[in-house]
């Protein structure tokens, strides 16, 4: 009887394994010819197309993992800067990685995209996919790269889509290469490998990720990526291997959920301001529930940057195409579209609705700390609103003043926070830079014209602020002020 039971268990296990294998083989859509052609290469030649934020971090970190990488871009100015060890974006630890791997000859830069494609075994596409006016995704740069691949491909090539693209893009690229460029379908495979890099901690997020997501059409294309990610995967990082459409949608789902969480806590903060409740205590209590977690429960002036605004809009646009309502994500977008007005409205209330002729000091221009990125930054929207109301703006940010000056040349940019607040009628803290948490409030009180601080990031100790005689407010602190 024992042998009979063992035999039944054994056969059941074998059947289960065969079922999984057949299911995976079907989902990968592979055939025996392709499977035999894409054998993993011991030291694959890696090309990165696009040396913007994602491409440069990806290239530097893959080189740090021991790979030989060539980063390519059509922007000759950017490539020439990188060849001189000048990093065109600010990201902690990135400069160190780039210079070290250039010196060790693992990281190279070129403006010859077609030569890079010709030489490579694996191509990572990391070009920009900005939002179009209707909320869809502009894939022009992506297809320019695909056209270059179609003209150049001459041997087996793994094409990895690192850019954030709509669901179905990987499948459409295959069709495009086969039908428009007449490429043998067995000559290439498509992989979706979305990035989950937070600006300000991108190097850490790449080298010590929460997970890797790899969407494949061939099981052996995973083998190719395993070779280049080996040092990360062998450290125990979870790896989700799935089909391409699922991997493409995972990226949008993650960003839309985090954006929704931010919009939710901002709506709670706005209720707090109307009722006298305190959002930081509410967020703390919520975060202790393991089903919720404390992350992305910080009230503020709204989310910004490159990813959340365009990815939420793109997800809603995609859903509309498939006639699937996305009320929750649309609600997050709607909330965020007005949240930047909250700190300005608080200022207007204090000044009895009139800021014309007032000097307002803006501390923080980047959309978040540890980056110079001002794309969709709440600070940019606040400056425009205040200037339209007749206010004079002084500003300071440790990294983002040069890019902001291209948009607002009439703002007076200062060398430090103390210069910016001198003779100001009010101070708006818009970015959570660490140095703003440790401002010398006594010194600031002696410099300003009127002691008013609107802390849109809730980073100051209110007791210390009050101690130095300031009128103070934040987001969701439940503070009621009379006009001055």
């Amino acid at each position: 009887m024992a042998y009979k039971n063992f035999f039944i268990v054994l056969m059941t296990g074998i059947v289960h394994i065969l079922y999984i294998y057949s299911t995976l083989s079907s989902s990968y859509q592979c055939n025996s010819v392709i499977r035999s052609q894409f054998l993993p290469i011991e030291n694959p030649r890696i090309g990165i197309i696009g040396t913007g934020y994602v491409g440069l971090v990806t290239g530097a970190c893959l080189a740090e993992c021991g790979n030989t990488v060539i980063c390519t871009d059509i922007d000759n100015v950017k490539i020439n800067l990188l060849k001189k060890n000048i990093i065109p974006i600010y990201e902690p630890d990135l400069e160190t990685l780039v210079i070290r791997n250039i010196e060790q000859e693992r990281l190279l830069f070129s403006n010859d995209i077609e030569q890079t494609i010709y030489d490579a075994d694996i191509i990572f596409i990391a070009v920009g996919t900005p939002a179009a006016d209707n909320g869809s995704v502009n894939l022009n740069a992506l297809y320019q790269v695909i056209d270059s691949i179609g003209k150049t491909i001459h041997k087996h090539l793994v094409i990895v889509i690192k850019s954030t693209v709509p669901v179905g893009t990987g499948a459409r690229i295959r069709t495009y290469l086969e039908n428009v460029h007449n490429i043998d379908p067995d000559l290439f495979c498509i992989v979706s490998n979305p990035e989950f890099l937070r600006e300000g901690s991108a190097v850490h997020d790449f080298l010590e990720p929460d997970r890797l997501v790899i969407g494949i059409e061939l099981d052996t294309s995973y083998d190719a990526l395993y070779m280049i990610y080996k040092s990360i995967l062998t450290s125990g990082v979870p790896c989700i291997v799935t089909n391409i459409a699922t991997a493409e949608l995972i990226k949008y789902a993650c960003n839309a959920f985090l954006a929704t969480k931010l919009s939710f806590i901002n709506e709670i903060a706005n209720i707090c301001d109307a009722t006298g409740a305190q959002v930081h205590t509410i967020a703390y209590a919520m975060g202790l529930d393991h089903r919720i977690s404390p992350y992305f429960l910080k009230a503020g002036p709204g989310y910004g940057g490159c990813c959340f605004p365009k990815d939420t809009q793109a997800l809603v646009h995609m859903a509309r195409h498939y006639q699937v309502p996305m009320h929750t994500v649309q609600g997050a977008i709607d909330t965020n579209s007005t949240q930047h007005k909250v700190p300005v409205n608080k200022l207007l209330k204090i000044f009895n609705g009139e800021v014309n002729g007032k000097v307002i000091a803006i501390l923080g221009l980047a959309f978040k700390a540890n980056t110079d990125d001002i794309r969709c930054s709440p600070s940019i929207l606040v400056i425009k609103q205040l200037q339209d109301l007749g206010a004079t703006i002084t500003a300071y940010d440790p990294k983002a003043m040069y890019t902001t000056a291209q948009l607002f040349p009439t703002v007076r940019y200062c060398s430090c926070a103390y210069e910016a607040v001198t003779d100001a009628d009010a101070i708006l803290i818009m970015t959570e830079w660490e140095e703003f948490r440790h401002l010398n409030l006594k010194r600031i009180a002696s410099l300003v014209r009127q002691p008013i601080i609107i802390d849109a990031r809730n980073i100051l100790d209110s007791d210390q602020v009050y101690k130095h005689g300031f009128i103070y407010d934040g987001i969701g602190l439940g503070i009621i002020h009379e006009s001055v």
Side-chain angles (χ1 to χ4, degrees):
M1 182 62 70
Y3 287 111
K4 182 178 180 181
N5 290 339
F6 174 77
F7 180 75
I8 292 171
V9 171
L10 178 62
M11 291 306 296
T12 300
I14 292 172
V15 169
H16 183 62
I17 291 170
L18 289 173
Y19 171 76
I20 293 174
Y21 178 79
S22 65
T23 302
L24 289 174
S25 297
S26 173
S27 66
Y28 297 159
Q29 302 175 357
C30 61
N31 56 54
S32 58
V33 175
I34 298 178
R35 287 166 61 86
S36 64
Q37 289 175 339
F38 281 94
L39 296 175
I41 299 170
E42 186 65 31
N43 295 300
R45 288 163 291 188
I46 301 170
I48 310 284
I49 310 298
T51 55
Y53 184 84
V54 173
L56 185 56
V57 172
T58 298
C61 289
L62 285 177
E64 184 71 8
C65 292
N67 301 287
T68 299
V69 181
I70 182 165
C71 288
T72 316
D73 203 290
I74 60 173
D75 187 335
N76 292 331
V77 173
K78 185 187 297 182
I79 292 298
N80 289 333
L81 288 173
L82 289 165
K83 286 181 176 180
K84 297 175 183 177
N85 293 354
I86 300 172
I87 313 303
I89 60 173
Y90 174 73
E91 179 64 34
D93 302 322
L94 181 59
E95 182 177 4
T96 301
L97 244 64
V98 169
I99 293 174
R100 177 163 66 234
N101 284 283
I102 288 174
E103 291 173 349
Q104 296 181 2
E105 299 183 347
R106 290 196 298 253
L107 183 61
L108 306 169
F109 296 98
S110 170
N111 58 5
D112 192 336
I113 291 178
E114 292 188 0
Q115 186 64 51
T116 298
I117 295 169
Y118 188 90
D119 293 336
D121 302 300
I122 302 174
I123 284 290
F124 281 79
I125 302 178
V127 296
T129 52
D133 292 339
N134 64 354
S136 64
V137 181
N138 184 333
L139 297 177
N140 290 343
L142 176 73
Y143 274 93
Q144 287 176 10
V145 177
I146 297 302
D147 283 331
S148 294
I149 290 173
K151 297 173 185 175
T152 309
I153 186 171
H154 67 103
K155 60 183 174 61
H156 304 306
L157 184 65
V158 179
I159 303 169
V160 183
I161 311 300
K162 202 72 176 168
S163 304
T164 302
V165 296
V167 178
T169 300
R172 286 189 286 272
I173 287 173
R174 171 165 285 283
T175 301
Y176 186 82
L177 285 171
E178 291 179 10
N179 295 344
V180 175
H181 287 279
N182 298 315
I183 305 301
D184 185 339
D186 294 347
L187 199 58
F188 67 96
C189 65
I190 307 292
V191 177
S192 174
N193 179 215
E195 53 85 15
F196 301 96
L197 306 178
R198 297 168 297 168
E199 293 192 46
S201 57
V203 170
H204 173 271
D205 290 348
F206 193 104
L207 296 175
E208 300 181 40
D210 293 330
R211 76 290 202 197
L212 280 172
V213 174
I214 301 175
I216 60 176
E217 53 185 5
L218 311 172
D219 53 349
T220 45
S221 58
Y222 168 74
D223 295 338
L225 264 68
Y226 177 84
M227 295 301 297
I228 63 175
Y229 281 125
K230 186 176 181 180
S231 64
I232 295 174
L233 289 169
T234 53
S235 69
V237 170
C239 183
I240 295 90
V241 182
T242 183
N243 61 39
I244 290 176
T246 303
E248 290 168 337
L249 190 52
I250 284 172
K251 169 67 174 182
Y252 283 102
C254 290
N255 279 356
F257 182 81
L258 294 175
T260 300
K261 199 171 180 183
L262 285 170
S263 285
F264 173 83
I265 199 61
N266 280 334
E267 288 191 331
I268 295 297
N270 296 339
I271 296 175
C272 289
D273 281 331
T275 62
Q278 297 181 331
V279 72
H280 53 274
T281 304
I282 294 170
Y284 175 71
M286 290 175 63
L288 292 176
D289 188 326
H290 68 275
R291 298 169 299 176
I292 298 175
S293 91
Y295 302 107
F296 284 79
L297 285 179
K298 291 185 177 180
Y303 59 75
C306 171
C307 294
F308 286 5
K310 78 178 183 70
D311 290 354
T312 50
Q313 293 280 4
L315 184 57
V316 169
H317 185 272
M318 278 187 279
R320 190 181 301 121
H321 173 77
Y322 293 105
Q323 298 183 335
V324 177
M326 294 291 289
H327 301 307
T328 302
V329 179
Q330 184 60 58
I333 294 170
D334 293 342
T335 295
N336 197 67
S337 68
T338 59
Q339 188 63 22
H340 71 277
K341 297 179 181 179
V342 172
V344 175
N345 289 339
K346 288 176 177 290
L347 197 62
L348 288 170
K349 185 175 181 179
I350 292 173
F351 284 122
N352 200 23
E354 183 62 70
V355 293
N356 184 38
K358 302 291 185 184
V359 176
I360 311 299
I362 305 292
L363 299 186
L365 301 169
F367 86 95
K368 63 181 290 189
N370 297 319
T371 180
D372 59 355
D373 194 348
I374 62 169
R375 288 174 292 181
C376 296
S377 173
S379 295
I380 302 306
L381 300 173
V382 164
I383 290 173
K384 185 178 187 309
Q385 188 178 355
L386 288 172
Q387 284 189 333
D388 289 344
L389 292 170
T392 298
I393 306 298
T394 62
Y396 168 72
D397 185 284
K399 297 295 179 181
M401 290 194 291
Y402 176 79
T403 49
T404 307
Q406 314 309 306
L407 297 177
F408 299 106
T410 60
V411 168
R412 184 168 69 87
Y413 298 94
C414 303
S415 60
C416 67
Y418 301 103
E419 180 186 351
V421 305
T422 299
D423 294 327
D425 294 293
I427 301 167
L428 263 64
I429 300 177
M430 294 297 300
T431 310
E432 67 278 24
W433 286 99
E434 187 64 24
E435 66 180 87
F436 297 157
R437 298 178 186 273
H438 308 289
L439 293 170
N440 185 328
L441 295 172
K442 181 178 180 181
R443 180 181 176 186
I444 289 177
S446 70
L447 295 173
V448 295
R449 185 178 297 155
Q450 298 189 70
I452 299 169
I453 296 177
I454 305 296
D455 181 3
R457 296 292 181 172
N458 297 344
I459 61 175
L460 298 183
D461 183 331
S462 59
D463 290 338
Q464 289 298 312
V465 179
Y466 290 135
K467 178 182 175 181
H468 290 88
F470 284 92
I471 297 171
Y472 175 73
D473 202 354
I475 307 295
L477 302 185
I479 300 171
I480 308 297
H481 287 296
E482 301 296 333
S483 58
V484 295

PDB file of all heavy atoms in Angstrom, residues 273-290:
ATOM      1  N   ASP A 273      -7.571  69.968   7.674  1.00  0.00           N
ATOM      2  CA  ASP A 273      -7.501  71.424   7.746  1.00  0.00           C
ATOM      3  C   ASP A 273      -8.872  72.045   7.971  1.00  0.00           C
ATOM      4  O   ASP A 273      -8.975  73.145   8.537  1.00  0.00           O
ATOM      5  CB  ASP A 273      -6.883  71.980   6.461  1.00  0.00           C
ATOM      6  CG  ASP A 273      -5.360  71.851   6.447  1.00  0.00           C
ATOM      7  OD1 ASP A 273      -4.759  71.878   7.542  1.00  0.00           O
ATOM      8  OD2 ASP A 273      -4.778  71.716   5.359  1.00  0.00           O
ATOM      9  N   ALA A 274      -9.908  71.364   7.558  1.00  0.00           N
ATOM     10  CA  ALA A 274     -11.263  71.899   7.737  1.00  0.00           C
ATOM     11  C   ALA A 274     -11.844  71.565   9.106  1.00  0.00           C
ATOM     12  O   ALA A 274     -12.785  72.224   9.553  1.00  0.00           O
ATOM     13  CB  ALA A 274     -12.185  71.359   6.646  1.00  0.00           C
ATOM     14  N   THR A 275     -11.256  70.567   9.780  1.00  0.00           N
ATOM     15  CA  THR A 275     -11.858  70.079  11.018  1.00  0.00           C
ATOM     16  C   THR A 275     -10.985  70.215  12.255  1.00  0.00           C
ATOM     17  O   THR A 275     -11.468  70.012  13.376  1.00  0.00           O
ATOM     18  CB  THR A 275     -12.226  68.585  10.865  1.00  0.00           C
ATOM     19  OG1 THR A 275     -11.014  67.836  10.619  1.00  0.00           O
ATOM     20  CG2 THR A 275     -13.208  68.373   9.718  1.00  0.00           C
ATOM     21  N   GLY A 276      -9.689  70.508  12.057  1.00  0.00           N
ATOM     22  CA  GLY A 276      -8.785  70.580  13.205  1.00  0.00           C
ATOM     23  C   GLY A 276      -8.093  69.276  13.516  1.00  0.00           C
ATOM     24  O   GLY A 276      -7.320  69.185  14.472  1.00  0.00           O
ATOM     25  N   ALA A 277      -8.347  68.224  12.708  1.00  0.00           N
ATOM     26  CA  ALA A 277      -7.640  66.955  12.893  1.00  0.00           C
ATOM     27  C   ALA A 277      -6.210  67.082  12.356  1.00  0.00           C
ATOM     28  O   ALA A 277      -5.876  68.046  11.656  1.00  0.00           O
ATOM     29  CB  ALA A 277      -8.383  65.833  12.173  1.00  0.00           C
ATOM     30  N   GLN A 278      -5.359  66.106  12.679  1.00  0.00           N
ATOM     31  CA  GLN A 278      -3.943  66.175  12.309  1.00  0.00           C
ATOM     32  C   GLN A 278      -3.567  64.980  11.441  1.00  0.00           C
ATOM     33  O   GLN A 278      -3.642  63.826  11.866  1.00  0.00           O
ATOM     34  CB  GLN A 278      -3.066  66.227  13.564  1.00  0.00           C
ATOM     35  CG  GLN A 278      -3.307  67.473  14.403  1.00  0.00           C
ATOM     36  CD  GLN A 278      -2.416  67.528  15.624  1.00  0.00           C
ATOM     37  OE1 GLN A 278      -2.016  66.495  16.160  1.00  0.00           O
ATOM     38  NE2 GLN A 278      -2.094  68.740  16.064  1.00  0.00           N
ATOM     39  N   VAL A 279      -3.144  65.265  10.220  1.00  0.00           N
ATOM     40  CA  VAL A 279      -2.938  64.207   9.242  1.00  0.00           C
ATOM     41  C   VAL A 279      -1.762  63.312   9.598  1.00  0.00           C
ATOM     42  O   VAL A 279      -1.786  62.109   9.293  1.00  0.00           O
ATOM     43  CB  VAL A 279      -2.753  64.803   7.830  1.00  0.00           C
ATOM     44  CG1 VAL A 279      -1.404  65.502   7.692  1.00  0.00           C
ATOM     45  CG2 VAL A 279      -2.903  63.727   6.766  1.00  0.00           C
ATOM     46  N   HIS A 280      -0.713  63.872  10.224  1.00  0.00           N
ATOM     47  CA  HIS A 280       0.443  63.028  10.513  1.00  0.00           C
ATOM     48  C   HIS A 280       0.104  61.928  11.510  1.00  0.00           C
ATOM     49  O   HIS A 280       0.613  60.812  11.423  1.00  0.00           O
ATOM     50  CB  HIS A 280       1.635  63.863  10.996  1.00  0.00           C
ATOM     51  CG  HIS A 280       1.341  64.762  12.147  1.00  0.00           C
ATOM     52  ND1 HIS A 280       0.818  66.017  11.979  1.00  0.00           N
ATOM     53  CD2 HIS A 280       1.500  64.590  13.484  1.00  0.00           C
ATOM     54  CE1 HIS A 280       0.671  66.589  13.169  1.00  0.00           C
ATOM     55  NE2 HIS A 280       1.069  65.742  14.094  1.00  0.00           N
ATOM     56  N   THR A 281      -0.790  62.222  12.458  1.00  0.00           N
ATOM     57  CA  THR A 281      -1.212  61.190  13.414  1.00  0.00           C
ATOM     58  C   THR A 281      -2.097  60.155  12.725  1.00  0.00           C
ATOM     59  O   THR A 281      -1.982  58.947  12.988  1.00  0.00           O
ATOM     60  CB  THR A 281      -1.970  61.827  14.586  1.00  0.00           C
ATOM     61  OG1 THR A 281      -1.134  62.826  15.184  1.00  0.00           O
ATOM     62  CG2 THR A 281      -2.336  60.789  15.627  1.00  0.00           C
ATOM     63  N   ILE A 282      -2.949  60.621  11.831  1.00  0.00           N
ATOM     64  CA  ILE A 282      -3.811  59.708  11.079  1.00  0.00           C
ATOM     65  C   ILE A 282      -2.964  58.787  10.207  1.00  0.00           C
ATOM     66  O   ILE A 282      -3.176  57.566  10.166  1.00  0.00           O
ATOM     67  CB  ILE A 282      -4.816  60.496  10.230  1.00  0.00           C
ATOM     68  CG1 ILE A 282      -5.787  61.248  11.127  1.00  0.00           C
ATOM     69  CG2 ILE A 282      -5.574  59.572   9.260  1.00  0.00           C
ATOM     70  CD1 ILE A 282      -6.668  62.234  10.408  1.00  0.00           C
ATOM     71  N   ALA A 283      -1.985  59.362   9.513  1.00  0.00           N
ATOM     72  CA  ALA A 283      -1.127  58.559   8.641  1.00  0.00           C
ATOM     73  C   ALA A 283      -0.322  57.547   9.453  1.00  0.00           C
ATOM     74  O   ALA A 283      -0.136  56.395   9.015  1.00  0.00           O
ATOM     75  CB  ALA A 283      -0.188  59.466   7.853  1.00  0.00           C
ATOM     76  N   TYR A 284       0.136  57.953  10.622  1.00  0.00           N
ATOM     77  CA  TYR A 284       0.892  57.029  11.477  1.00  0.00           C
ATOM     78  C   TYR A 284       0.018  55.854  11.900  1.00  0.00           C
ATOM     79  O   TYR A 284       0.448  54.687  11.826  1.00  0.00           O
ATOM     80  CB  TYR A 284       1.422  57.771  12.703  1.00  0.00           C
ATOM     81  CG  TYR A 284       2.113  56.873  13.703  1.00  0.00           C
ATOM     82  CD1 TYR A 284       3.363  56.317  13.413  1.00  0.00           C
ATOM     83  CD2 TYR A 284       1.534  56.582  14.929  1.00  0.00           C
ATOM     84  CE1 TYR A 284       4.002  55.492  14.324  1.00  0.00           C
ATOM     85  CE2 TYR A 284       2.162  55.762  15.851  1.00  0.00           C
ATOM     86  CZ  TYR A 284       3.398  55.210  15.543  1.00  0.00           C
ATOM     87  OH  TYR A 284       4.024  54.390  16.447  1.00  0.00           O
ATOM     88  N   ALA A 285      -1.194  56.145  12.310  1.00  0.00           N
ATOM     89  CA  ALA A 285      -2.100  55.082  12.729  1.00  0.00           C
ATOM     90  C   ALA A 285      -2.441  54.157  11.566  1.00  0.00           C
ATOM     91  O   ALA A 285      -2.493  52.926  11.724  1.00  0.00           O
ATOM     92  CB  ALA A 285      -3.378  55.690  13.314  1.00  0.00           C
ATOM     93  N   MET A 286      -2.664  54.736  10.399  1.00  0.00           N
ATOM     94  CA  MET A 286      -2.940  53.912   9.213  1.00  0.00           C
ATOM     95  C   MET A 286      -1.752  53.025   8.879  1.00  0.00           C
ATOM     96  O   MET A 286      -1.905  51.833   8.567  1.00  0.00           O
ATOM     97  CB  MET A 286      -3.263  54.801   8.016  1.00  0.00           C
ATOM     98  CG  MET A 286      -4.587  55.532   8.084  1.00  0.00           C
ATOM     99  SD  MET A 286      -4.784  56.669   6.682  1.00  0.00           S
ATOM    100  CE  MET A 286      -4.791  55.499   5.311  1.00  0.00           C
ATOM    101  N   GLY A 287      -0.554  53.591   8.938  1.00  0.00           N
ATOM    102  CA  GLY A 287       0.642  52.868   8.537  1.00  0.00           C
ATOM    103  C   GLY A 287       0.976  51.698   9.423  1.00  0.00           C
ATOM    104  O   GLY A 287       1.678  50.773   9.003  1.00  0.00           O
ATOM    105  N   LEU A 288       0.489  51.708  10.669  1.00  0.00           N
ATOM    106  CA  LEU A 288       0.734  50.577  11.567  1.00  0.00           C
ATOM    107  C   LEU A 288      -0.054  49.338  11.160  1.00  0.00           C
ATOM    108  O   LEU A 288       0.261  48.233  11.597  1.00  0.00           O
ATOM    109  CB  LEU A 288       0.377  50.970  13.007  1.00  0.00           C
ATOM    110  CG  LEU A 288       1.299  52.019  13.644  1.00  0.00           C
ATOM    111  CD1 LEU A 288       0.785  52.405  15.025  1.00  0.00           C
ATOM    112  CD2 LEU A 288       2.736  51.518  13.725  1.00  0.00           C
ATOM    113  N   ASP A 289      -1.068  49.526  10.342  1.00  0.00           N
ATOM    114  CA  ASP A 289      -1.815  48.395   9.796  1.00  0.00           C
ATOM    115  C   ASP A 289      -0.988  47.793   8.667  1.00  0.00           C
ATOM    116  O   ASP A 289      -0.727  48.449   7.660  1.00  0.00           O
ATOM    117  CB  ASP A 289      -3.167  48.888   9.261  1.00  0.00           C
ATOM    118  CG  ASP A 289      -4.102  47.767   8.847  1.00  0.00           C
ATOM    119  OD1 ASP A 289      -3.596  46.728   8.350  1.00  0.00           O
ATOM    120  OD2 ASP A 289      -5.332  47.915   9.013  1.00  0.00           O
ATOM    121  N   HIS A 290      -0.562  46.540   8.829  1.00  0.00           N
ATOM    122  CA  HIS A 290       0.336  45.937   7.843  1.00  0.00           C
ATOM    123  C   HIS A 290      -0.309  45.814   6.467  1.00  0.00           C
ATOM    124  O   HIS A 290       0.380  45.677   5.463  1.00  0.00           O
ATOM    125  CB  HIS A 290       0.812  44.559   8.321  1.00  0.00           C
ATOM    126  CG  HIS A 290      -0.258  43.519   8.362  1.00  0.00           C
ATOM    127  ND1 HIS A 290      -1.097  43.366   9.453  1.00  0.00           N
ATOM    128  CD2 HIS A 290      -0.650  42.590   7.446  1.00  0.00           C
ATOM    129  CE1 HIS A 290      -1.947  42.379   9.215  1.00  0.00           C
ATOM    130  NE2 HIS A 290      -1.707  41.901   8.009  1.00  0.00           N
TER     131      HIS A 290
END
